[in-house]
Amino acid sequence: MRYRTFSLQIENRTEGAKFYPAVLSSESPVERDYGTEILDHSPGAVDQSRTKRGLPLLWAHDNQTVVGRVERIRLTDDRKLRGELRPGNSERAKEIWADIGAGVITDLSIGYSYGKSKPTKRSDGALVFKNWQPLEVSLVAIPADTQAGIGRSNNIYSIRKEKNMDENYDIGEVTPK
């Protein structure tokens, strides 16, 4: 399994919200021991067979410490994998989400595996993986993918248009980049 980390960004959310929007991954290059890696986010590149029922939200890639669930996972036109985070109810989950709300914990990481196809090598030497599968999302200490995080969007209206949002969906205060 491989991991990519990125920063969370929680902004003015409604008290008691059940879901927190997040960018789970992007095509940002990440340095690996074998060179630069890029995860392709074009249609068909991401095997979403495991995301249909959601993914576990873990603490530091520890599958014994589930602190929530990632739901409503989808690829968007801006070539990012997005989802909504739902906090867990365990004591550990409540501690972690309190630290997230206080701005102490600020980073996420997606755990994934490569598909069977070999990566494509770009002219700059970067390897583009056109077949990969998300397995889990974790709260962690060190970010890598700076394009991803909680509450990030280029346009709040595109998110609202993209789905019917109920009163439990917290979009937060979003500042376009």
Side-chain angles (χ1 to χ4, degrees), residues 118-131:
K118 295 190 183 231
T120 304
K121 192 169 191 175
R122 292 191 332 187
S123 60
D124 63 0
L127 296 175
V128 180
F129 289 84
K130 297 181 178 283
N131 185 321

Side-chain angles (χ1 to χ4, degrees), residues 25-147:
S25 63
S26 73
E27 293 184 336
S28 292
V30 172
E31 292 303 317
R32 299 285 185 201
D33 53 350
Y34 53 79
T36 303
E37 171 195 83
I38 297 171
L39 296 177
D40 189 338
H41 282 65
S42 63
V46 183
D47 176 354
Q48 294 188 68
S49 59
R50 288 180 177 254
T51 67
K52 291 177 175 132
R53 293 180 38 225
L55 294 174
L57 180 64
L58 307 177
W59 173 248
H61 300 291
D62 177 2
N63 63 11
Q64 300 299 306
T65 311
V66 179
V67 297
R69 192 95 183 139
V70 185
E71 300 173 353
R72 303 175 188 171
I73 300 168
R74 70 229 175 263
L75 275 173
T76 53
D77 291 340
D78 59 356
R79 296 175 73 107
K80 293 180 181 171
L81 188 65
R82 295 179 186 270
E84 281 84 38
L85 308 182
R86 180 170 44 106
N89 290 319
S90 69
E91 288 306 312
R92 183 65 176 133
K94 288 175 185 175
E95 289 174 7
I96 290 170
W97 280 90
D99 282 345
I100 290 169
V104 174
I105 297 172
T106 60
D107 301 304
L108 289 173
S109 177
I110 190 165
Y112 57 96
S113 64
Y114 299 129
K116 294 180 181 178
S117 65
K118 295 190 183 231
T120 304
K121 192 169 191 175
R122 292 191 332 187
S123 60
D124 63 0
L127 296 175
V128 180
F129 289 84
K130 297 181 178 283
N131 185 321
W132 61 280
Q133 181 180 54
L135 303 173
E136 54 92 353
V137 177
S138 286
L139 295 156
V140 296
I142 302 170
D145 186 344
T146 60
Q147 296 298 307

Side-chain angles (χ1 to χ4, degrees), residues 18 84 169 176:
K18 293 185 180 178
E84 281 84 38
Y169 181 82

